[in-house]
Amino acid sequence: MSTAELPIAPLGLGRAALPRIVGSPVERIDAVEKVTGRAVYAADSRLPRMLHGAVVRSPHACARIISIDTSRAERLPGVHTVVTGADTARVKWGAFRPDLYPLAIGRVRYVGDEVAAVAARDPETARRAAELIHVEYEVLPAVLSLDEALAEGAPLVHDDAPGNVAHEFGFDRGGVEAWFDRSDVVVEGTWQSERQWHGSIETIGCTAEWTRDRVSLWVNTQTPFLARQRYATALGLPLRAVRVVQTEVGGGFGGKSGDDNTSVICALLARRAGRPVQLVNTREEEFLASRPRIPMRYTVRLGFTEDGLVTAKDIEVVADNGAYTGKAQAVLGAATVRHDALFNYRAVRAHSRLIYTNLEPTGAFRGFGNPSADWAVGQAWDLAAARLGIDVPDLFLLNAVESGSVSPHNHKITSCELKQCIRRAAQAIGWQAKRAERTPHRGLAMGVSVHVSGRRSFGDYDGSSAIVRLTEDGRATVIVGEGEIGTGARTTLAQIAAAELGIPVADVSVPRPDTDLTTHALGALASRVTYVAGNAVQRAAQQACERLLDAAARQLDRPAAQLWVEDGTVHGPAGPDGEGPVSAPVGAVVRAELYRPGGEPIVGLGSFDNPSEFPDGSRYGNESGAYNFVAEAAEVEVDPATGAVRVLELAAVADCGTVLNPPLAEGQVEGAIAQGLGMALTERFHWQEGAPVRPNFSDYKLPTAGVMPKLHIGFADSYEPTGPFGAKGVGEIALDPVPSIIASAVADAVGVRVHELPITAEKIYWGMRNGEPGAAVPVTSAPAVPAVQDPSPPAGADRAGQEGDPR
Amino acid sequence: MTDTTTHRPGDTAAGGHRTAPATQCAAQPGTAPGTAPRAGTSTAVPLRFRLNGEDVEVHVQDPAAPLLDVLRHDLGLTGTKSGCAIGYCGACTVIVDGAAVPSCLQMAGLVEGRDVRTVEGLEGPGGLDPVQEAFVARAGLQCGFCTPGHVMALRALLDADPEPDEERIREVVDGNYCRCTGYVKILDSAREAVARQKTAPTTEEER
């Protein structure tokens, strides 16, 4: 069923008529360079005399470095330089908790930790030289799981983190125990998420070149300006000594947001070699030493009244930081509070800890903690629905937030069509029909999520600014530092500018970020660019358009208020003296404004700061100016002989305000669902001695076209009053509820509820046979939480009588 | 792969990335850039093959090196991407004698005398190959890194079978990873490419 065919009630939001270009499927401005292979990604940059780098990494999870002998590597023909920790500023760096050296000093803390690096004439020589560097280690006891790290007297990963606690916080808002006392139904459980890798097909890479005392870095980073600050710290340099330019970015998903050492090492190599150096991660390095999703052991307790109103939520979260912190503490913050902007909880309590282990450091990944939270809390809601005898969509509708709601953490919900999303997702999957006629071994489930449109994290600013310059050839250049990681952000921003200016999108260019040239920007994170930068670009374009019309008014001898721009031409009505309508191409107006005594360019400046609050230490504060929502429903089929899961259909309806470019917005939802399915079903490694065995795509299975279910994608009729043309973010949200939905659908199909991701056939197989856990397989952290038989009745007639009407 | 190899034009329009002077990549016979033996590498062996319709000769140090490295580093054709180097992701797909192959697993020495096509060699009546046009029209890409591999795999399919059925299309798309799109719009693009192929002269006919 196409959701587009469903009747939508008029919302009466009083929105202004939108320009034609808004909501139209405008072609990506970068499509041709990408299909022809001409787009220049990190590894495609070529500088004269450029060398290639390779990194020596620790084979031990924890060890003291006794000595490093680089002499054999240095003697290899073609090798230009070798660097070790001794060649660095010996400064620790990190987004929130500086704990990472560019190259190890004295000690290594995980398998993959950077110890030394080489620059040579070609990548092969560099790699061979790296193998010739001999590092003598004294292997030390390592903590290879959360339980080992938390044990009494456990070895410390960092001496300044007693108990291996990297970060800890908590709150009790509203007094949960009193609310639990008044609850009729309480459900509880523990759910464990797993390291998930971004799996961008392009790995992290950098090209560095020094000119005197300044380094230029061409990096495939999502956040050029934030990365620049951190790289300067890591190099022990003043900010002005570092310039970052964004190359084409072959996928980001949080993994290219500047928390790893690759660019820093590249800069160190280039300085010592006196020549440009390119350093690109191999796929193995990307799996060993990037910053994957944080595994969380998430215990949740929920209370409800007998008629299904949620009362209290109490959570205990223990998160595996790995050896270094990066953005993990902010991710844990989001995982702890964000969900509470979804339902009308009367009281919420949390205790969250980020724990150092001698495992690969973790960090930001699309969803930013939400997927781990939604996985656990979503499971508890699903259990509660069964206990209450209320169908899941009905239970969601009873408790969902709406426009005007305020969460216990002061999330102020402006626009919210969550209830519309729930109803339409249920309709799109055919919820009622499927509930009425159950098929053996098939299960149905629904999940919901909330996400931000920008988040105030990096100081008390989550803004953006833009300059729109009209050119004498009638085009516009939008100068904004946010960049492009594949989502189509530059196209959307071009569309916003074109809509305000009255020129074709094809006449708008959006250059890539360069910290020397473009406006300051926080970059592509937190689903912020469309909302935050879109507002800045809109304002800049409005100002440029006003100046254009002022100039045209003088040139055409008509009042500016009577002029308008259409398809690249300024038009005016007939004059009072009876002279006919007037017009002039935009370029001619710009040129005439320049070429006169005292001539001036036509430029607009726009600025917007997210109307949000910087959360305090307990994460209280309205972290974003606009929240986006999604409801998704899926049907799965479980093979009773093997436990294998096939996802048959998945419906998603997202509330992202006005959809500026439908194919681009659909692409975000479709791609996020695919990543969610990977997280739910297949993405994991087998581990040995603190490292993934065979760290490549041979063992780590991304979803392919063949495993994708039939998707029904829809968007809520919604308008965000503070957004550009009513738009909000949409980049992350559709991933968030997927693992929980698949787990609930499996439980609905065969009565087995898996408590540890991913939901493999093996776990279901053993769960179906006497509720035993899956065969013992080493996992990154925490003992296996067994798959258990649901306390609720298994699939079949027992439940059919409980199905409600998804209103 | 020394610093004397071919350079390709950089992203000059979009941020001022300084690059070396561009040289012709798909070169005239016998004058291919990157053919000069490397300094101090007298052991380099000549390798001759047909590349995007032109005869090229390149001196490679190790004939067992992946074709991918020779294309990207020795010949400067960086449109072909490296994603995993073990033949799983499909980002490095090129066409050798009509068959789509992962160039990371193709020994360079074994393409001697054979016909190799890369994304740089695609063209069509409107400038773009119908497969490329389809990806543009149907938003079949996001970050674009896997796109040349998908495009080449589908080009090989359509050369072998101009009217593949849905199952065959899915089979081919299933062979290449994409981490951005969830494949919906890549499959749309593939179907669109089949439709466009029917209404446009094939690249084979143009030659």
Side-chain angles (χ1 to χ4, degrees):
Chain A
M1 183 196 310
S2 165
T3 53
E5 294 162 14
L6 297 169
I8 303 301
L11 294 170
L13 288 167
R15 68 195 70 170
L18 297 173
R20 182 168 38 87
I21 209 164
V22 169
S24 65
V26 171
E27 199 172 276
R28 291 181 70 108
I29 63 176
D30 54 0
V32 170
E33 64 191 85
K34 285 179 173 175
V35 299
T36 53
R38 289 201 293 264
V40 179
Y41 297 84
D44 302 336
S45 303
R46 293 288 184 273
L47 296 179
R49 305 173 71 238
M50 186 178 89
L51 304 173
H52 295 267
V55 175
V56 179
R57 297 177 182 279
S58 167
H60 304 296
C62 186
R64 189 172 69 84
I65 297 173
I66 296 169
S67 64
I68 304 176
D69 179 1
T70 62
S71 57
R72 286 178 68 208
E74 280 163 359
R75 285 199 300 271
L76 186 72
V79 170
H80 285 252
T81 196
V82 178
V83 292
T84 69
D87 303 302
T88 67
R90 296 168 180 265
V91 176
K92 290 180 185 173
W93 67 288
F96 296 102
R97 181 186 169 94
D99 56 11
L100 174 69
Y101 286 118
L103 289 164
I105 305 279
R107 191 156 156 194
V108 288
R109 294 183 171 84
Y110 75 100
V111 176
D113 215 347
E114 295 88 358
V115 176
V118 180
R121 68 184 175 206
D122 58 70
E124 286 74 15
T125 306
R127 275 195 285 276
R128 273 169 48 216
E131 286 166 14
L132 293 175
I133 292 176
H134 181 71
V135 185
E136 193 181 347
Y137 294 101
E138 177 195 356
V139 177
L140 301 171
V143 287
L144 299 181
S145 69
L146 282 174
D147 287 326
E148 286 180 28
L150 290 167
E152 189 83 20
L156 295 185
V157 178
H158 292 268
D159 294 338
D160 62 351
N164 286 317
V165 177
H167 184 65
E168 181 171 17
F169 72 99
F171 49 76
D172 182 349
R173 305 200 215 284
V176 290
E177 287 307 336
W179 281 100
F180 278 121
D181 289 344
R182 293 161 62 183
S183 299
D184 303 307
V185 168
V186 175
V187 293
E188 186 170 3
T190 297
W191 286 270
Q192 170 84 38
S193 57
E194 171 64 299
R195 271 179 177 72
Q196 184 189 21
W197 278 262
H198 310 87
S200 297
I201 311 302
E202 183 205 33
T203 59
I204 292 166
C206 175
T207 308
E209 180 183 43
W210 289 78
T211 46
R212 293 161 62 91
D213 53 357
R214 191 160 193 263
V215 64
S216 292
L217 303 170
W218 289 270
V219 191
N220 53 10
T221 177
Q222 302 176 225
T223 57
F225 288 83
L226 295 175
R228 176 199 192 201
Q229 275 176 328
R230 286 183 219 130
Y231 296 161
T233 302
L235 291 164
L237 293 171
L239 187 60
R240 65 174 174 272
V242 178
R243 170 189 173 216
V244 173
V245 184
Q246 185 186 57
T247 63
E248 198 69 62
V249 182
F253 315 116
K256 288 172 177 160
S257 51
D259 298 305
D260 63 290
N261 269 326
T262 298
S263 294
V264 179
I265 294 169
C266 189
L268 290 167
L269 285 170
R271 181 166 62 187
R272 255 185 85 92
R275 289 168 65 154
V277 172
Q278 183 168 97
L279 182 61
V280 179
N281 281 1
T282 63
R283 178 59 58 189
E284 286 80 4
E285 291 178 299
E286 193 90 345
F287 276 125
L288 287 175
S290 56
R291 297 295 182 268
R293 189 185 299 288
I294 310 171
M296 294 188 195
R297 186 191 300 167
Y298 205 113
T299 301
V300 53
R301 182 161 65 122
L302 294 180
F304 290 85
T305 64
E306 63 183 348
D307 48 4
L309 290 176
V310 72
T311 53
K313 167 171 166 274
D314 189 14
I315 58 171
E316 169 89 26
V317 188
V318 188
D320 179 356
N321 192 31
Y324 303 103
T325 305
K327 285 199 252 309
Q329 74 176 57
V331 176
L332 179 61
T336 304
V337 305
R338 181 78 46 75
H339 172 92
D340 299 340
L342 196 51
F343 297 117
N344 291 311
Y345 294 104
R346 273 68 175 175
V348 291
R349 182 167 66 184
H351 177 212
S352 291
R353 284 176 295 164
L354 183 64
I355 303 300
Y356 279 120
T357 60
N358 288 114
L359 296 169
E360 180 174 358
T362 56
F365 191 149
R366 194 180 206 169
F368 210 71
N370 246 358
S372 294
D374 285 343
W375 151 241
V377 185
Q379 288 304 282
W381 273 82
D382 200 61
L383 286 174
R387 287 273 301 278
L388 289 159
I390 301 175
D391 206 14
V392 169
D394 293 331
L395 188 63
F396 288 166
L397 288 168
L398 266 176
N399 292 286
V401 297
E402 39 194 16
S403 300
S405 295
V406 179
S407 86
H409 313 294
N410 207 37
H411 297 108
K412 294 187 171 103
I413 311 299
T414 48
S415 60
C416 175
E417 294 301 328
L418 176 58
K419 291 181 181 178
Q420 185 193 150
C421 293
I422 293 166
R423 293 188 184 102
R424 285 182 48 191
Q427 285 176 305
I429 199 82
W431 188 279
Q432 282 175 269
K434 288 189 162 95
R435 275 284 181 248
E437 267 186 69
R438 296 193 62 105
T439 308
H441 306 117
R442 284 194 183 184
L444 189 64
M446 177 179 277
V448 288
S449 192
V450 57
H451 215 87
V452 289
S453 305
R455 179 179 186 273
R456 233 170 174 75
S457 300
F458 303 98
D460 197 0
Y461 176 67
D462 182 25
S464 188
S465 54
I467 296 163
V468 170
R469 177 187 156 230
L470 294 179
T471 59
E472 55 281 9
D473 57 1
R475 297 169 50 86
T477 305
V478 179
I479 300 161
V480 59
E482 304 289 356
E484 171 74 74
I485 63 170
T487 60
R490 287 177 12 187
T491 302
T492 309
L493 296 178
Q495 233 176 314
I496 290 169
E500 286 294 342
L501 292 167
I503 66 176
V505 178
D507 286 347
V508 181
S509 63
V510 187
R512 287 201 164 271
D514 176 338
T515 56
D516 275 5
L517 294 174
T518 54
T519 59
H520 184 92
L522 304 192
L525 51 89
S527 301
R528 62 184 292 283
V529 173
T530 296
Y531 175 72
V532 181
N535 268 312
V537 168
Q538 185 175 26
R539 291 173 184 195
Q542 284 166 349
Q543 194 182 79
C545 193
E546 278 168 28
R547 291 182 178 172
L548 173 73
L549 295 181
D550 286 345
R554 288 192 296 277
Q555 294 170 20
L556 299 173
D557 197 23
R558 296 283 187 279
Q562 292 181 5
L563 301 176
W564 72 95
V565 193
E566 199 174 312
D567 207 22
T569 301
V570 182
H571 296 278
D577 52 3
E579 277 185 38
V582 291
S583 69
V586 167
V589 175
V590 174
R591 188 178 166 80
E593 186 69 358
L594 278 169
Y595 282 85
R596 63 187 172 93
E600 289 184 336
I602 297 181
V603 173
L605 173 65
S607 178
F608 177 80
D609 187 17
N610 205 329
S612 54
E613 299 164 356
F614 192 50
D616 68 15
S618 75
R619 301 316 202 263
Y620 183 88
N622 184 32
E623 53 184 341
S624 183
Y627 296 87
N628 47 86
F629 299 88
V630 77
E632 295 177 27
E635 185 180 30
V636 306
E637 187 166 60
V638 179
D639 182 340
T642 64
V645 179
R646 178 157 181 81
V647 183
L648 303 172
E649 273 185 273
L650 196 151
V653 180
D655 168 11
C656 60
T658 302
V659 177
L660 297 176
N661 187 321
L664 293 186
E666 288 161 12
Q668 287 307 298
V669 174
E670 291 158 357
I673 289 169
Q675 271 179 334
L677 290 172
M679 180 182 176
L681 292 166
T682 61
E683 294 184 29
R684 64 122 23 144
F685 276 114
H686 288 191
W687 288 64
Q688 222 165 33
E689 292 170 26
V693 177
R694 291 182 304 274
N696 207 319
F697 287 141
S698 52
D699 288 50
Y700 192 81
K701 298 296 186 191
L702 304 188
T704 61
V707 304
M708 287 299 292
K710 183 173 174 54
L711 297 182
H712 310 270
I713 307 297
F715 294 96
D717 187 8
S718 172
Y719 188 89
E720 167 54 45
T722 65
F725 299 112
K728 301 188 276 191
V730 71
E732 297 171 84
I733 184 146
L735 188 157
D736 298 346
V738 175
S740 178
I741 295 167
I742 302 306
S744 298
V746 167
D748 186 47
V750 294
V752 175
R753 195 169 289 273
V754 174
H755 283 249
E756 181 181 329
L757 292 178
I759 304 157
T760 59
E762 189 181 23
K763 292 173 190 170
I764 297 167
Y765 176 92
W766 288 110
M768 285 191 292
R769 284 153 182 80
N770 310 319
E772 286 177 14
V777 173
V779 293
T780 50
S781 47
V785 183
V788 295
Q789 287 282 352
D790 238 6
S792 54
D798 292 11
R799 266 199 193 172
Q802 298 172 2
E803 316 310 334
D805 174 17
R807 285 163 287 174
Chain B
M1 282 157 240
T2 71
D3 52 342
T4 59
T5 54
T6 305
H7 301 282
R8 70 184 293 280
D11 191 15
T12 46
H17 187 167
R18 189 165 71 72
T19 57
T23 50
Q24 281 302 112
C25 292
Q28 298 304 309
T31 62
T35 54
R38 298 185 193 93
T41 58
S42 52
T43 54
V45 294
L47 173 65
R48 297 176 199 84
F49 59 102
R50 201 158 171 85
L51 176 61
N52 296 327
E54 306 279 355
D55 292 323
V56 295
E57 178 179 314
V58 60
H59 285 76
V60 296
Q61 189 146 11
D62 178 9
L67 175 62
L68 173 64
D69 290 358
V70 172
L71 291 172
R72 286 184 55 84
H73 293 281
D74 296 69
L75 292 162
L77 297 185
T78 55
T80 304
K81 306 301 181 191
S82 176
C84 67
I86 59 166
Y88 269 79
C89 75
C92 66
T93 304
V94 299
I95 301 175
V96 179
D97 287 346
V101 301
S103 60
C104 71
L105 295 186
Q106 171 68 57
M107 263 196 239
L110 294 182
V111 302
E112 173 79 30
R114 298 172 73 182
D115 183 72
V116 177
R117 291 175 72 197
T118 69
V119 69
E120 287 89 349
L122 294 188
E123 57 187 0
L128 297 179
D129 183 284
V131 178
Q132 293 172 314
E133 284 180 351
F135 272 76
V136 174
R138 303 306 294 259
L141 60 96
Q142 287 183 31
C143 85
F145 195 79
C146 72
T147 309
H150 275 284
V151 166
M152 295 311 287
L154 287 165
R155 179 74 264 153
L157 169 68
L158 294 187
D159 284 347
D161 177 5
E163 293 186 38
D165 61 15
E166 175 70 14
E167 193 184 352
R168 187 74 190 112
I169 290 172
R170 282 182 167 273
E171 214 170 81
V172 167
V173 174
D174 191 54
N176 287 42
Y177 273 161
C178 169
R179 191 55 156 169
C180 296
T181 63
Y183 305 100
V184 178
K185 288 176 170 47
I186 294 179
L187 288 166
D188 287 348
S189 303
R191 295 178 197 114
E192 172 88 17
V194 174
R196 284 176 186 247
Q197 175 98 351
K198 284 180 193 161
T199 58
T202 67
T203 46
E204 289 301 323
E205 283 163 359
E206 278 166 45
R207 282 193 194 155

